[in-house]
Amino acid sequence: MSRNAAVADRLDEMADRLEATDVAYKPRAYRQAADNIRGHTVAVETLAEDGVDGVKQIDRVGDAIAQKVIEYLDTGRIEELEELREELPVDIEAITRVAGIGPKTAADLYEALGIEDLDDLEAAAEAGEIQTVKGFGATTEQNILDGIDFARESHQRELLGDARPLADRLLGSLREFDVVDAADTAGSLRRWRPTVGDVDLLAASDDSETVVEQFTDLDGEIIEAGTSKASLRVDGLRVDLRVVATEEWGSALQYFTGSRDHNIVVRNRALDTGLKVNEYGIFDVADVDDPDAGQCVGSRVAGETERSMYESLGLDHVPPELREDHGEIDAAAAGDLPTLIEEGELRGDLHLHTDASDGQNSVAELIAAAEAFGYEYLAVTDHATGSGMVGGVGVDDDDLLALAETVRDAARDTDLRVFTGVEANIGEDGSVSVDDDVLAELDCVVASPHAALDGDGTERLVAAVEHPEVNVLGHPTGRLLNRRSGLDIDMERLAETAVANDTALEINANPSRLDLRGDYVKQAVEIGATLAIDTDAHQPSSLDLARFGVHTARRGWAEADDVLNTRDADGVADFLDV
DNA sequence: GCCGTTTTCGGCCCGACTGTTTTCAGTCG
């Protein structure tokens, strides 16, 4: 298992502890390094094989942090972190999860009351001791009591699949307010990151106070509410709303969508041409003595629409999913941005389950659901037996052939093209868990890893991709968001093998997976691999989840032509060689 | 601690909100 996340957690803790002891600038450096390590597609332990210089390939990682990374990989500890822990023996990660408590407050509470963890904190608040500390009052004490249960429960980012439906519901309400001119998501939610820290919403209105008032009446518990922003807790998620003037809608949307790194590149590009970018617009400050004199100095050249923001900087409009500082600005300047695949361009689904294995519906019901969803074709790919299948879920070889017959029968009653198929298991040695003679009888063979999902999986997946009967590599890394990181893979090699063998690489749209992830998709697209966006649905309502796969593909710069199931049924049949 | 097509030293985003201040620090995004 890649240790990137573990390393990043240690560095984030370093940042908190340095901040608690009032060290300047270093905390930010550690946090940026941690973010980049967490998101890096290559395992740190692989980079560390080349020593400090290998680890330094990660952006914002220099000599000092690279050495600490190697120290951690070698010894399981970082000496400087251990010293900081001794200096402040506080579970700082837990305590700072309480809303309003940061590293410095945690340090203050330790100094004054010896508070080391959430239990200490709760006991002190209940005993009324917090408000006796200088700088703290009864309100803060109550806020701690109100926030402590939430802090105990939530220590992970939320799945996009949970946050997006909530956002859609709240957006629907916001847009019905008379005083609201426009409303949208912002932040990582709008970029369709697989997990989000909170739900960011933005509204345009010339009466922000009324919007905040009406919004805080909608639902949930108020965390804070001012004249232009409010925070709620709804269904266990934090929701942040900002309200901006209508003429600043585009600039605010651009600013609050981020990512931070993207915005830094945008801002620097603007500075080069005498423009200043902020959440209020783009301003020509070439003839201004002090561009930092205020928020809106100089003459305003853009801000009402997001498109105007990019265009006034000589850039094509950059879709939110691309705004990660992964080369999108250069591409936008050169007119080379991809025409991303859109929701609605999928014409079928090639990875679906019925009650023959662990799905909930019959073949006929699944076909009817796909037809109602507007699809032109589908593949019935129930689980085969084999490693990773527990409780008798999988279908054995003889029954697979019988199931295929059932599927062919059902297909006669529909206009949809229905492909027979299977989801076979990839063994630890790369073998496929169904007999070749049986696979040869089936139209669409998805092969997926279901067991032994840690360590380097490249050889194993390459072997499966090279199998002549395999058409689609299902959820390639086997990751489950917030639960397991899945297989490490050499994406370049895997994608090259997929191209050579006419095997599609799946983007599994299930919000718990989103596998392949966006940056792997980008590598696969650059190499020319064919993708398949599948829901892996086990019930008809899950067909709706396809949009999460589409946006993950967009995060990987994929165009419709890169995706197998944007083709018509004949095109897919050609690819499947049936 | 990191970084550099104006710098290997001298910068590092910044505004809203809160709670506690009698003018501001800490947190958050």
Side-chain angles (χ1 to χ4, degrees):
Chain A
M1 183 192 299
S2 153
R3 299 176 72 188
N4 293 36
V7 169
D9 287 347
R10 299 293 96 72
L11 297 178
D12 272 329
E13 187 185 341
M14 291 274 304
D16 276 350
R17 291 183 180 280
L18 289 165
E19 190 165 352
T21 49
D22 253 340
V23 175
Y25 301 112
K26 287 190 191 183
R28 163 133 292 182
Y30 275 91
R31 289 204 180 97
Q32 288 178 330
D35 280 350
N36 292 343
I37 290 170
R38 192 175 279 113
H40 202 73
T41 55
V42 181
V44 276
E45 52 268 42
T46 305
L47 295 173
E49 287 167 12
D50 295 326
V52 168
D53 284 339
V55 181
K56 275 173 67 179
Q57 287 173 27
I58 301 174
D59 200 30
R60 291 273 151 186
V61 174
D63 282 310
I65 291 181
Q67 271 165 15
K68 290 186 175 69
V69 170
I70 288 170
E71 181 188 357
Y72 179 74
L73 292 175
D74 286 347
T75 69
R77 48 191 270 142
I78 298 171
E79 198 50 44
E80 198 175 323
L81 176 58
E82 297 300 328
E83 288 166 15
L84 288 164
R85 283 175 174 170
E86 253 175 67
E87 205 176 306
L88 188 72
V90 166
D91 185 352
I92 201 157
E93 188 273 328
I95 287 186
T96 55
R97 286 202 306 261
V98 178
I101 298 192
K104 296 192 183 200
T105 304
D108 289 345
L109 289 172
Y110 173 73
E111 294 299 330
L113 300 170
I115 289 171
E116 296 184 2
D117 55 30
L118 285 174
D119 290 340
D120 290 351
L121 183 66
E122 184 172 37
E126 280 175 349
E129 290 170 2
I130 304 281
Q131 57 179 299
T132 66
V133 181
K134 184 168 158 45
F136 293 77
T139 309
T140 301
E141 192 167 82
Q142 189 58 47
N143 286 345
I144 288 172
L145 285 171
D146 290 344
I148 208 155
D149 285 339
F150 187 74
R152 277 211 180 88
E153 289 161 16
S154 88
H155 40 92
Q156 285 174 330
R157 290 167 62 85
E158 301 289 340
L159 295 188
L160 177 66
D162 296 327
R164 181 47 76 163
L166 172 64
D168 288 342
R169 177 159 67 80
L170 293 173
L171 273 181
S173 300
L174 265 177
R175 285 172 177 151
E176 283 178 12
F177 294 172
D178 288 340
V179 290
V180 167
D181 294 325
D184 207 336
T185 56
S188 50
L189 188 66
R190 185 162 178 253
R191 304 198 311 277
W192 294 79
R193 272 193 60 171
T195 61
V196 300
D198 54 25
V199 173
D200 287 317
L201 301 178
L202 190 69
S205 173
D206 295 320
D207 183 0
S208 66
E209 290 182 44
T210 300
V211 178
V212 168
E213 257 172 47
Q214 293 182 345
F215 183 72
T216 51
D217 281 344
L218 272 182
D219 200 353
E221 162 199 351
I222 300 173
I223 299 171
E224 64 181 29
T227 56
S228 68
K229 56 186 268 194
S231 297
L232 303 179
R233 193 125 54 217
V234 188
D235 295 349
L237 278 83
R238 184 189 170 101
V239 179
D240 291 324
L241 170 73
R242 287 171 192 266
V243 189
V244 300
T246 299
E247 66 267 22
E248 291 161 355
W249 168 248
S251 48
L253 193 56
Q254 197 283 326
Y255 183 87
F256 290 116
T257 297
S259 64
R260 184 194 62 217
D261 289 342
H262 172 85
N263 282 354
I264 287 171
V265 178
V266 168
R267 197 160 53 230
N268 288 339
R269 184 181 170 87
L271 287 173
D272 290 344
T273 53
L275 298 171
K276 175 178 164 166
V277 178
N278 59 28
E279 63 208 85
Y280 303 100
I282 297 186
F283 301 89
D284 187 342
V285 292
D287 300 322
V288 175
D289 291 338
D290 180 10
D292 298 324
Q295 294 160 353
C296 304
V297 294
S299 58
R300 192 157 183 275
V301 299
E304 272 191 62
T305 68
E306 217 177 25
R307 189 170 293 275
S308 74
M309 297 285 291
Y310 286 100
E311 283 177 353
S312 65
L313 297 174
L315 300 170
D316 290 342
H317 179 256
V318 180
E321 294 94 330
L322 303 190
R323 300 183 196 169
E324 300 288 354
D325 187 26
H326 289 168
E328 70 277 8
I329 297 295
D330 285 343
D336 284 340
L337 283 175
T339 305
L340 298 179
I341 181 174
E342 302 271 357
E343 280 185 35
E345 287 191 289
L346 296 185
R347 301 166 80 158
D349 194 321
L350 300 174
H351 183 172
L352 298 165
H353 295 270
T354 73
D355 54 13
S357 61
D358 58 349
Q360 293 183 8
N361 297 84
S362 67
V363 171
E365 287 166 342
L366 182 62
I367 292 171
E371 186 166 21
F373 197 70
Y375 279 156
E376 298 167 24
Y377 52 87
L378 70 156
V380 177
T381 58
D382 274 300
H383 287 290
T385 52
S387 65
M389 288 302 110
V390 291
V393 161
V395 182
D396 68 29
D397 285 11
D398 287 343
D399 290 341
L400 278 173
L401 293 174
L403 175 62
E405 207 46 55
T406 304
V407 170
R408 287 187 202 102
D409 285 344
R412 292 190 190 100
D413 299 327
T414 174
D415 293 334
L416 269 64
R417 180 83 177 257
V418 188
F419 298 108
T420 60
V422 65
E423 182 183 14
N425 308 295
I426 301 172
E428 213 164 341
D429 56 358
S431 60
V432 175
S433 71
V434 177
D435 194 81
D436 288 358
D437 294 340
V438 174
L439 294 179
E441 295 294 314
L442 302 173
D443 300 331
C444 180
V445 174
V446 178
S448 316
H450 286 111
L453 296 169
D454 53 23
D456 192 310
T458 308
E459 295 305 328
R460 181 181 172 192
L461 298 182
V462 161
V465 165
E466 286 176 337
H467 190 296
E469 299 295 341
V470 171
N471 304 114
V472 178
L473 181 64
H475 49 72
T477 74
R479 77 166 176 175
L480 286 177
L481 292 162
N482 284 349
R483 284 158 58 193
R484 68 171 179 239
S485 60
L487 298 166
D488 294 325
I489 52 176
D490 177 343
M491 192 62 226
E492 198 174 312
R493 177 140 174 257
L494 188 60
E496 283 166 355
T497 309
V499 172
N501 290 274
D502 279 332
T503 305
L505 300 174
E506 183 176 79
I507 299 173
N508 190 293
N510 187 299
S512 299
R513 295 188 182 272
L514 299 179
D515 176 20
L516 296 169
R517 62 194 232 195
D519 38 22
Y520 281 148
V521 172
K522 186 162 189 270
Q523 282 181 284
V525 165
E526 283 166 4
I527 289 165
T530 300
L531 304 164
I533 299 175
D534 299 324
T535 60
D536 196 356
H538 287 62
Q539 53 193 332
S541 61
S542 298
L543 292 173
D544 275 330
L545 300 175
R547 63 177 179 151
F548 292 102
V550 171
H551 288 280
T552 299
R554 289 167 63 90
R555 286 179 59 78
W557 297 48
E559 306 192 340
D561 285 350
D562 297 315
V563 178
L564 174 59
N565 47 324
T566 62
R567 300 181 194 172
D568 63 17
D570 287 340
V572 172
D574 280 348
F575 185 88
L576 298 175
D577 220 8
V578 295

